[in-house]
Amino acid sequence: MQNEVVSREEWLKARRALLAKEKEATKLRDSVNAARLALPWVKVDKDYVFETPEGRKSLADLFDGRSQLLIYHFMLGPDWDAGCTGCSFLSDHVDGALPHLNHHDVTWVAVSRAPLDKIAAYKQRMGWKFPWVSSFGSDFNFDYHVSFSPEDLAKDKVFYNFTPMQPADANDELPGLSAFYRNDKGEVFHTYSSYARGPEELIGTLMILDRAPKGRNEDSTMNFVRRHDEYEEAAKAPSCCH
């Protein structure tokens, strides 16, 4: 379907009206960012242990000498054969940002419950370089409400995105992003988490598509997305992230 075709003068009038809305959105984003930075923090007192290629590490160790840590809760369960399509789509955008994040005192780490060998195999398949560790055997994913046991899914509700939801709408693994701060005394604080479509702005491809004539051109959220090595295949399965 083609949009209405108008004169350059009419287009300019419509574009200026849209520009006013874009400026409103930018100001709102600035306000939201300021409110995010002003959120209170929660001290992390629980000892979490992660399996990494360099051996077992604590949450504090994952900071890698920096004061800020971003953890992407990547959907790859212990019994999964491959990582979530949507999480893979987001993760395709990470490696290029790493030098900039690290220089700005921020460490990025992906965390999944899959064992380390399964993580390593999928990471190699995708060609990624960012740090990725396993929380298998830890409460970490459950405490941050991105993993759900069979017992959880058998209940009336599960807690995800700060809201009780129907287990039928959940999964054993769901996506999210959490932020942490480590002070000079080595104390770690949870500062922020975002779930569902919350981390969407990290996906640069979507931001580019939003400027294209057909936009995202999707029937449902990210249903067009495939793992980057699957686009030649004819599979039509939707993304597992909604």
Side-chain angles (χ1 to χ4, degrees):
M1 180 177 178
Q2 181 175 296
N3 289 19
E4 180 185 7
V5 177
V6 299
S7 68
R8 175 61 60 179
E9 289 74 19
E10 291 175 289
W11 180 89
L12 184 59
K13 180 180 178 181
R15 180 63 188 93
R16 283 173 172 161
L18 175 60
L19 178 60
K21 291 182 177 295
E22 289 176 334
K23 289 183 176 181
E24 288 178 9
T26 298
K27 291 178 181 178
L28 178 58
R29 184 181 63 197
D30 290 342
S31 175
V32 170
N33 288 342
R36 184 184 296 117
L37 292 176
L39 273 176
W41 296 354
V42 177
K43 186 177 180 182
V44 180
D45 290 319
K46 197 167 186 176
D47 293 327
Y48 296 107
V49 177
F50 303 86
E51 299 292 340
T52 85
E54 296 78 32
R56 293 164 67 86
K57 291 187 177 182
S58 67
L59 181 61
D61 293 331
L62 297 185
F63 283 76
D64 197 24
R66 301 180 182 92
S67 70
Q68 301 167 89
L69 173 66
L70 291 175
I71 286 182
Y72 183 66
H73 303 287
F74 195 112
M75 295 170 62
L76 180 56
D79 301 324
W80 290 33
D81 294 326
C84 162
T85 306
C87 292
S88 300
F89 186 38
L90 184 148
S91 297
D92 280 338
H93 298 77
V94 173
D95 280 347
L98 287 181
H100 307 286
L101 293 174
N102 293 346
H103 186 265
H104 211 55
D105 192 34
V106 176
T107 296
W108 174 282
V109 177
V111 172
S112 300
R113 283 204 312 123
L116 201 59
D117 58 345
K118 186 169 288 190
I119 288 174
Y122 189 67
K123 182 179 177 180
Q124 182 177 17
R125 170 186 165 183
M126 294 289 99
W128 295 325
K129 304 298 183 184
F130 57 80
W132 192 353
V133 305
S134 172
S135 61
F136 185 72
S138 163
D139 293 333
F140 182 78
N141 280 45
F142 298 101
D143 289 350
Y144 287 87
H145 305 289
V146 290
S147 293
F148 304 93
S149 68
E151 292 76 19
D152 293 328
L153 296 173
K155 297 176 181 177
D156 293 335
K157 301 283 185 180
V158 296
F159 190 76
Y160 179 68
N161 201 17
F162 313 106
T163 307
M165 65 184 293
Q166 296 292 333
D169 298 324
N171 199 352
D172 57 337
E173 306 290 337
L174 288 173
L177 179 76
S178 292
F180 301 87
Y181 177 78
R182 186 182 183 190
N183 64 18
D184 292 338
K185 295 189 292 184
E187 298 171 317
V188 175
F189 302 87
H190 176 217
T191 67
Y192 177 75
S193 283
S194 181
Y195 303 99
R197 291 184 63 184
E200 187 175 273
E201 289 185 347
L202 278 63
I203 306 177
T205 301
L206 293 181
M207 304 302 110
I208 295 171
L209 287 175
D210 285 342
R211 275 75 177 171
K214 292 185 179 181
R216 301 185 186 186
N217 196 25
E218 59 189 6
D219 298 319
S220 59
T221 303
M222 297 200 306
N223 76 314
F224 64 93
V225 174
R226 306 289 181 267
R227 298 177 184 88
H228 63 241
D229 62 355
E230 294 177 342
Y231 278 110
E232 297 304 316
E233 299 181 6
K236 299 297 183 182
S239 168
C240 53
C241 293
H242 295 286

